[in-house]
Amino acid sequence: MGKGLSPRVKALVRASVADLEPYDPGFSPVAINLSANENTHGMPEEVRRDMSVALSHVVENRYPAPLATDLREALAEWHQVTPQQVLVSNGGDEALFNLFLAFGGAGHKMVNCPPTFSVYRLYAEMVETPVVDVPRDPETLLPDIDAIVEAAKDAHLVVLTSPNNPTGDCIARADMARICEACPGIVLADEAYSEFAPAGTSSEPLLDEYDNLVVLHTFSKAFCLAGGRIGYLLGAPDVLAALSAVRQPYSVNSFSQAAALVAVHEMGAFEPVIEDIVHERGWLASELSKLPQVKVWPSSANFLCVRMPEAGRKRAELRDEYSILVRDFSTTPGLEDCLRITVGTHEENEAVVSAIAELLAKED
Ligand SMILES: *Cc1c(COP(=O)(O)O)cnc(C)c1O
């Protein structure tokens, strides 16, 4: 963090890059990693087997299908849209970057609702997009929908995360509709965690009504493929065509296309895993809530946002004394003394609860 560029390089780079803080996932090798919202249950065995077979048939001397034709068609069928309403990307992150590249830029206002995924602001700044922040309520961490609707009225891009990372709340579909209605520009519903949210919370059904809505999904969280880097957008064909125009032609490699295609075909195998994570989320929240020093916000995702005294130090102690990694948000404005804990397997969740309980007990 705070790794500045050398003066010589700083003089050469474009102005919007000179003061950027690189994205820092705060990674370090540990026994229990609950820091990046991955699916720690791992790939279901039968899916892994079929993926290995599919990967062994990949034609590696040819370029990949530029628009991931087979995967795109499978995703279209799954989401009941046309293939032209699907754009596959190298992780959701590539789709986000391309959104800013195509629709952001100098004079193109973007509405952001912090605290949220820090990558939005990073990409906005890279391409000189002016960012208007509509901050969340400091206590509930919920977004201010009326203020977002107001701010959306002259925006090129509104980014809404549902469930939000790192606060865990969803935006109601009716609120999403109000924002789409008010905004002359593009409204992104980032639904990277929607598989963990209650049924009926996704904004996807609004795609039929609003041609300025785009919905982001990823295989990195529920579908155990963070290493494969596969994300996709659903949206109106002409909006996605603008993103196709700015993307790198072969950004999604053949191996990842093949792996994700197997995941789509065997979607059912992930259901028990997702159900278990949702169940464990309830268990983890209730155990942590029993500790009087800890505040836990409700979450519809595979992580919890929690507040406790000296959170930054606790995070370091968890790492150094227990080999457990969680994500530190204690220096993020609005999230003072907050940590984000990924919901893991039952054993992992037990380990993090007892470690936090011990650390807190030491202080009394
Ligand atoms: C993880 C995440 C993504 C996308 O992640 P990829 O691994 O790049 O697909 C997008 N948005 C949010 C809010 C996320 O947490």
Side-chain angles (χ1 to χ4, degrees):
M1 289 204 209
K3 290 185 206 79
L5 299 177
S6 74
R8 163 177 96 86
V9 168
K10 200 163 172 161
L12 290 172
V13 293
R14 56 192 285 178
S16 62
V17 172
D19 295 316
L20 282 184
E21 289 274 345
Y23 180 77
D24 176 13
F27 178 78
S28 59
V30 285
I32 298 182
N33 185 343
L34 301 176
S35 73
N37 301 340
E38 295 138 332
N39 184 337
T40 72
H41 288 60
M43 194 65 75
E45 220 21 73
E46 66 274 28
V47 185
R48 177 186 296 280
R49 220 177 30 236
D50 295 340
M51 262 181 202
S52 311
V53 174
L55 290 174
S56 72
H57 288 115
V58 167
V59 178
E60 73 287 325
N61 65 319
R62 299 292 183 183
Y63 283 103
L67 292 174
T69 318
D70 294 348
L71 179 58
R72 189 189 200 195
E73 283 170 6
L75 289 168
E77 195 178 321
W78 175 30
H79 289 280
Q80 309 214 304
V81 295
T82 65
Q84 292 68 38
Q85 290 172 284
V86 181
L87 183 68
V88 182
S89 58
N90 185 333
D93 285 346
E94 189 209 358
L96 291 173
F97 185 73
N98 290 342
L99 263 176
F100 283 98
L101 199 55
F103 294 100
H108 287 210
K109 166 179 161 183
M110 174 257 192
V111 176
N112 197 34
C113 306
T116 188
F117 196 34
S118 62
V119 158
Y120 309 138
R121 175 173 274 279
L122 180 69
Y123 290 170
E125 289 179 355
M126 272 183 210
V127 295
E128 287 133 27
T129 309
V131 178
V132 172
D133 281 334
V134 179
R136 290 160 174 269
D137 181 275
E139 286 304 313
T140 64
L141 301 181
L142 294 174
D144 181 343
I145 302 297
D146 290 337
I148 297 170
V149 167
E150 247 344 274
K153 287 180 178 165
D154 61 350
H156 281 76
L157 191 56
V158 178
V159 177
L160 300 160
T161 321
S162 181
N164 186 47
N165 174 6
T167 60
D169 56 285
C170 285
I171 298 201
R173 194 179 289 161
D175 290 334
M176 198 66 88
R178 273 182 69 200
I179 297 162
C180 290
E181 193 81 49
C183 184
I186 305 297
V187 176
L188 170 71
D190 182 340
E191 298 195 352
Y193 301 97
S194 63
E195 294 82 6
F196 305 104
T201 46
S202 170
S203 300
E204 239 168 86
L206 298 175
L207 286 168
D208 291 336
E209 249 170 291
Y210 298 103
D211 63 5
N212 58 341
L213 175 66
V214 287
V215 179
L216 178 80
H217 287 293
T218 177
F219 283 80
S220 297
K221 311 289 162 53
F223 301 115
C224 298
L225 264 181
R229 314 302 304 125
I230 295 275
Y232 59 101
L233 287 172
L234 305 176
D238 60 341
V239 173
L240 299 190
L243 299 173
S244 295
V246 299
R247 71 189 281 274
Q248 297 176 37
Y250 300 112
S251 62
V252 185
N253 72 76
S254 307
F255 300 94
S256 297
Q257 291 186 28
L261 188 60
V262 172
V264 177
H265 286 149
E266 302 186 22
M267 199 46 71
F270 294 91
E271 271 166 31
V273 182
I274 293 169
E275 272 170 33
D276 187 60
I277 293 170
V278 169
H279 173 79
E280 284 295 322
R281 176 179 74 207
W283 183 85
L284 186 60
S286 106
E287 292 301 307
L288 290 172
S289 301
K290 288 178 191 162
L291 304 168
Q293 306 95 321
V294 180
K295 174 176 169 68
V296 184
W297 277 272
S299 171
S300 298
N302 66 339
F303 54 80
L304 296 175
C305 184
V306 303
R307 176 172 278 159
M308 67 186 73
E310 305 276 2
R313 209 182 69 216
K314 294 278 181 318
R315 184 253 183 192
E317 290 168 344
L318 283 171
R319 183 192 57 203
D320 301 338
E321 295 170 29
Y322 296 88
S323 198
I324 298 175
L325 195 65
V326 300
R327 191 68 182 272
D328 184 12
F329 281 92
S330 61
T331 57
T332 300
L335 294 178
E336 292 72 21
D337 271 335
C338 288
L339 301 176
R340 189 193 66 198
I341 306 175
T342 302
V343 178
T345 61
H346 189 65
E347 292 67 35
E348 291 172 328
N349 300 334
E350 277 186 327
V352 75
V353 168
S354 71
I356 290 173
E358 275 182 31
L359 288 173
L360 288 167
K362 258 202 289 190
E363 281 183 358
D364 292 340

